Amino acid sequence: MYKKKIKHNNNYKGKVLLISMRFVEKQAKIEDAVYEAIEEIADEIGLNIPHYPEVYWVGKNFDYDSLGFTQEVRTSGSLFDDEYNAIFIGDDHLIDISEESAHFLHFANSGFKHVRVPDDKLHFFSLNTWVETLGFLGSKFVCPERRANYRGKDLFFMQKEKKERKLAQIERKYGKDIAEEFYKYQQAMNIGEAIYFSYLQGKTTKKFIRELFKEDFSQVTPFEALCFLKFSYCPPKDESVLAKMVEAVRAKTKQH
């Protein structure tokens, strides 16, 4: 019995060592991929890399507590956290890696901090959508095959009642989580994709995209900036609708 116990413990230690080695190898692989994506995006549009983020591969047993991370950053997916200047990768996929790399470059070059508990819902929605737009756009420079997957009729130009009914339909079909994120990601992905294709066609310059990543909202609000992109790259087919939306934007801007 004693010998068997010793043998069992040795096997266990061997398995732990093997798992640890695999984790270290995976961590190194993810780090290399993230840094390569950061440099590829920066080189493509001429962005500075003022510093590099910490990179963490979030495996099944990733220990947030021992590293001092708060509950807010715990995720089974991937994210960039500007407070810690850290990228967490939960899915070893180039789309995740490139999008979080783009988020890092955006925050590093713009210098603004993400407000987590907003008083102004319009401001928070616009800022979040702006962030996700640049995340998607930046990822396209590494994964050009990526496509916007929040399609359907554009909610941006819908009247409030119709928009709410549409989101209710989405919730019934796909669940509350998808419905809550649908509007934001529909705007972000479709605007990002439109900018990217305009860039490929030579209509949008590297300088313009670079300035989007550097925007610190000291002169314009996130809402104004988002509307500018929306009207420029994804306008409604009906020009009268566009005119009404422009007036609505001006009215909301005056309130802020």
Side-chain angles (χ1 to χ4, degrees):
M1 290 292 293
Y2 182 73
K3 288 183 178 179
K4 286 184 178 179
K5 187 175 181 181
I6 293 294
K7 184 177 180 181
H8 173 74
N9 284 343
N10 286 339
N11 286 340
Y12 176 75
K13 289 178 181 177
K15 288 179 180 178
V16 170
L17 181 60
L18 181 60
I19 291 171
S20 298
M21 289 175 63
R22 286 176 178 171
F23 185 88
V24 170
E25 291 172 357
K26 187 75 169 183
Q27 169 70 25
K29 176 189 172 186
I30 294 294
E31 280 188 59
D32 289 344
V34 168
Y35 294 143
E36 185 176 332
I38 288 171
E39 291 172 359
E40 186 172 347
I41 296 168
D43 287 345
E44 178 65 32
I45 55 179
L47 276 174
N48 291 326
I49 306 176
H51 55 267
Y52 283 85
E54 294 291 330
V55 177
Y56 298 95
W57 161 242
V58 183
K60 291 181 180 179
N61 300 312
F62 185 74
D63 190 352
Y64 289 94
D65 292 326
S66 66
L67 294 171
F69 294 119
T70 63
Q71 186 68 31
E72 288 182 340
V73 302
R74 294 169 187 264
T75 176
S76 58
S78 302
L79 64 83
F80 167 69
D81 188 280
D82 59 302
E83 181 180 350
Y84 292 105
N85 186 41
I87 290 177
F88 300 86
I89 299 296
D91 186 0
D92 183 10
H93 195 288
L94 195 54
I95 287 178
D96 279 39
I97 289 169
S98 59
E99 181 169 332
E100 303 314 324
S101 298
H103 285 319
F104 159 73
L105 282 169
H106 177 204
F107 279 82
N109 279 271
S110 65
F112 73 84
K113 294 294 182 181
H114 206 156
V115 180
R116 299 182 187 284
V117 185
D119 294 324
D120 187 330
K121 290 184 178 180
L122 179 62
H123 175 93
F124 190 58
F125 169 79
S126 302
L127 182 58
N128 265 322
T129 305
W130 181 272
V131 168
E132 295 303 331
T133 296
L134 296 189
F136 183 86
L137 173 60
S139 75
K140 293 279 287 185
F141 295 120
V142 180
C143 304
E145 70 280 3
R146 188 182 185 189
R147 293 290 180 267
N149 54 6
Y150 285 76
R151 297 188 178 277
K153 194 167 184 180
D154 194 336
L155 298 179
F156 192 88
F157 297 109
M158 279 188 187
Q159 294 179 345
K160 184 178 179 180
E161 295 77 12
K162 289 184 178 180
K163 185 185 301 180
E164 290 175 350
R165 286 200 298 270
K166 182 63 177 177
L167 290 174
Q169 291 174 1
I170 293 170
E171 182 174 345
R172 286 194 295 272
K173 188 172 182 179
Y174 299 106
K176 186 176 181 180
D177 290 344
I178 296 295
E180 288 179 347
E181 299 290 335
F182 189 93
Y183 185 28
K184 175 178 68 177
Y185 284 110
Q186 184 192 56
Q187 300 311 310
M189 288 186 169
N190 284 300
I191 294 171
E193 192 162 75
I195 295 172
Y196 178 74
F197 283 126
S198 177
Y199 170 71
L200 291 183
Q201 294 167 354
K203 297 177 181 178
T204 294
T205 65
K206 292 183 180 183
K207 181 180 179 182
F208 177 79
I209 295 176
R210 196 161 56 242
E211 292 305 313
L212 297 181
F213 275 81
K214 292 180 177 180
E215 178 60 63
D216 62 2
F217 301 115
S218 60
Q219 302 298 319
V220 297
T221 67
F223 178 64
E224 290 175 297
L226 180 64
C227 287
F228 170 76
L229 291 185
K230 183 67 182 180
F231 297 158
S232 299
Y233 289 94
C234 303
K237 295 179 181 179
D238 187 341
E239 292 186 2
S240 64
V241 173
L242 178 58
K244 290 178 182 178
M245 290 295 294
V246 170
E247 287 302 316
V249 169
R250 287 174 179 167
K252 287 184 179 180
T253 301
K254 288 179 181 178
Q255 295 173 7
H256 289 71

